[in-house]
Amino acid sequence: MATVGEDLVRRMAAGDGDAFARFYDRYAPMVYPLILRIVRDRSDAADVLQDVFWETWRAAGTYDPARGTPEAWIVTRARTRAIDRVRSMRRRSETFVAPMDDAMAAAPAESGGDAADRASDRSVVTGALGRLPVPQREVLELAYYGGLTQTEIAERIKQPLGTVKTRMRLGLERLREMMKR
Amino acid sequence: MSHETFDDQVAAYALDVLETSERAAFEAHLAGCARCERTLRESREALAAVVLDGPPAVPPPDVKAALMRRLAEETAPPRRRSDTRRLWLRGAVVAAAAMVVGGFLTGMFVAARYEAELGRVARETSRLREDLARQEAALQARVTAYQAVVDLLRDPSTRVIALKGAGPSPTAEGRVVWHETAGGQVLITKLPPAPAGKAYEMWTIAGGTPTAAGVFQVDASGQAIHRVPPGAGPVDVFAVTLEPESGVPAPTGPIVLASAK
């Protein structure tokens, strides 16, 4: 049986604007904290959020339930667009490296930003990621929220590349297991 | 090669941080590996679950307003009729007169224009189709070559031999993925395109005797991937020389890449 999300996407593909409005209401409050955490700026986050949802409206016809849930579909897309935004800002101005690096280096409890930022940080630590060993969590967070490659992470945390690869693989393995339970 | 490298790569790929240099080869592997495909799918689901588990935050209301506006614009009819009705009426009078006077000529003119336009569209379409077919063939060839490399690397007796640039192209680099009985593939980077009328020729040297292993060209970025047939005997040295385009039975030109003895 199709889930609520799948049903909404199918109706969006058929041009149903009401389904799109409901899809937005259902997922935007989950996706927005993710985007905000990555781009760190409310007005940028709002832009990315709009782009991401407009893309889902346009791409609803290409959604294939066999390849994943609508939840993974929208979250993957939002994360990619948010990282793209940060990378393009980095390219435009080297000064943007600093805020992102600070954001990544700071322990969640000490990070700056406003209440929503802190809430989204805390949520990750108390959620499934918080149940991972700290070294694995650190590597996953640097990759997922910071968009850093394995080489970049190795340089930053001063660990051999192989160690980073192993932590990333094991961390994801554990997350997958937690989800199955 | 064991599957372990791919297990590391699929993790980085799921997080969308796989190094650009590894991406194409990994995607070639992913296309035929049910295990990696499943790991990728489940990893994305797990990451999405982490995100969806967090406390929600209300996004700025103007985002939804903007989206609904775009939606309305997209589904609205292109032009409202009431605004244009008066213009349309006036236009109709003019058009009726014009039709009487110039109907015949207009018909001829429109037909000629449409014919020209149709011809242009048809030419454009066939040009696009040819472009697409060419691109697809090139991509297909590349995927086949990548697949061959991956297949070779699965075999424990496969070796990877480094080639160093020499003579006119000291910065060129190469790797031969080599299986003594099956042959292999050579992957080359930073080799300048051969001059007009020339090509690069691959050699497998066994017991001091070079055997021709095919000619190839590099692409605009200085890269090439080329199939190397098995040598005449156990190969001691791999080398690449610059030769006439059609290839030669024994090397005559400068060595541009060679493996250590």
Side-chain angles (χ1 to χ4, degrees):
Chain A
M1 211 188 77
T3 62
V4 177
E6 286 173 4
D7 188 46
L8 288 176
V9 178
R10 204 177 51 232
R11 282 165 54 198
M12 279 157 63
D16 183 341
D18 289 339
F20 180 45
R22 283 191 53 204
F23 182 81
Y24 179 90
D25 291 341
R26 189 179 169 86
Y27 295 115
M30 320 288 196
V31 165
Y32 180 62
L34 167 69
I35 297 174
L36 189 59
R37 173 159 185 191
I38 294 172
V39 305
R40 312 298 285 192
D41 175 274
R42 291 190 165 275
S43 124
D44 282 334
D47 282 353
V48 174
L49 185 70
Q50 190 187 143
D51 289 349
V52 164
F53 273 89
W54 189 248
E55 275 180 28
T56 61
W57 166 250
R58 284 305 180 78
T62 64
Y63 167 73
D64 177 5
R67 300 182 62 183
T69 60
E71 286 78 4
W73 186 59
I74 179 93
V75 169
T76 304
R77 193 179 283 267
R79 189 268 178 191
T80 305
R81 287 292 162 267
I83 292 286
D84 286 349
R85 170 68 66 112
V86 175
R87 283 184 184 149
S88 80
M89 288 195 308
R90 255 170 126 182
R91 271 195 297 276
R92 236 176 291 148
S93 158
E94 282 304 314
T95 59
F96 275 93
V97 174
M100 194 179 85
D101 282 3
D102 291 346
M104 289 311 121
E110 296 152 14
S111 74
D114 55 21
D117 291 340
R118 285 196 296 276
S120 62
D121 286 345
R122 195 164 51 238
S123 77
V124 170
V125 180
T126 53
L129 271 182
R131 295 207 291 277
L132 294 181
V134 173
Q136 291 174 15
R137 191 185 90 206
E138 177 185 45
V139 166
L140 288 189
E141 286 185 338
L142 286 167
Y144 193 67
Y145 297 107
L148 300 189
T149 64
Q150 292 170 331
T151 314
E152 289 167 336
I153 294 172
E155 276 167 22
R156 167 180 294 264
I157 65 172
K158 301 189 173 48
Q159 293 287 334
L161 181 58
T163 307
V164 170
K165 288 182 175 179
T166 305
R167 286 180 186 174
M168 191 176 277
R169 175 169 54 76
L170 292 179
L172 266 185
E173 252 170 47
R174 287 210 187 189
L175 280 189
R176 293 198 300 271
E177 279 162 23
M178 284 183 209
M179 202 183 58
K180 280 175 189 163
R181 260 181 265 132
Chain B
M1 184 168 65
S2 76
H3 197 273
E4 204 172 4
T5 306
F6 297 126
D7 291 335
D8 287 336
Q9 285 180 328
V10 73
Y13 192 80
L15 289 155
D16 198 24
V17 293
L18 187 61
E19 309 283 352
T20 319
S21 55
E22 292 174 66
R23 185 168 290 261
F26 175 72
E27 283 176 345
H29 165 76
L30 179 67
C33 178
R35 173 171 160 186
C36 283
E37 194 274 333
R38 194 182 64 238
T39 307
L40 175 63
R41 185 161 33 82
E42 289 178 359
S43 299
R44 284 183 173 156
E45 296 292 344
L47 289 165
V50 168
V51 171
L52 296 176
D53 271 350
V58 180
D62 52 359
V63 174
K64 187 175 180 186
L67 283 169
M68 292 302 115
R69 221 168 24 242
R70 286 170 90 169
L71 192 65
E73 275 164 22
E74 197 190 44
T75 48
R79 202 190 292 166
R80 265 163 293 172
R81 204 171 289 172
S82 58
D83 292 347
T84 51
R85 180 168 297 165
R86 201 176 300 191
L87 272 177
W88 185 84
L89 273 174
R90 205 189 304 167
V93 176
V94 177
M99 262 203 274
V100 174
V101 180
F104 177 71
L105 283 174
T106 308
M108 293 262 293
F109 175 69
V110 168
R113 267 197 61 161
Y114 270 84
E115 232 158 84
E117 180 70 3
L118 278 174
R120 196 187 61 75
V121 170
R123 278 195 301 280
E124 181 90 339
T125 309
S126 80
R127 192 180 57 75
L128 281 175
R129 201 175 289 151
E130 279 166 23
D131 275 2
L132 265 180
R134 251 199 308 278
Q135 283 173 17
E136 200 185 340
L139 268 178
Q140 197 59 50
R142 188 175 286 197
V143 168
T144 309
Y146 284 148
Q147 189 61 53
V149 171
V150 170
D151 289 343
L152 276 170
L153 288 173
R154 286 210 174 95
D155 192 305
S157 58
T158 294
R159 293 180 294 142
V160 178
I161 299 122
L163 302 184
K164 278 233 161 69
S169 50
T171 58
E173 284 173 21
R175 296 270 184 289
V176 183
V177 182
W178 185 246
H179 190 281
E180 212 57 67
T181 52
Q185 298 274 342
V186 58
L187 295 93
I188 287 166
T189 57
K190 293 186 254 173
L191 188 60
K198 300 274 189 174
Y200 293 110
E201 187 157 7
M202 182 80 197
W203 304 94
T204 51
I205 302 167
T209 312
T211 306
V215 292
F216 61 91
Q217 298 284 358
V218 297
D219 65 17
S221 63
Q223 298 198 351
I225 179 162
H226 172 70
R227 155 112 187 107
V228 187
V235 175
D236 312 312
V237 179
F238 295 88
V240 177
T241 59
L242 185 63
E243 302 292 351
E245 209 167 17
S246 52
V248 286
T252 61
I255 292 180
V256 296
L257 277 163
S259 64
K261 217 164 210 139

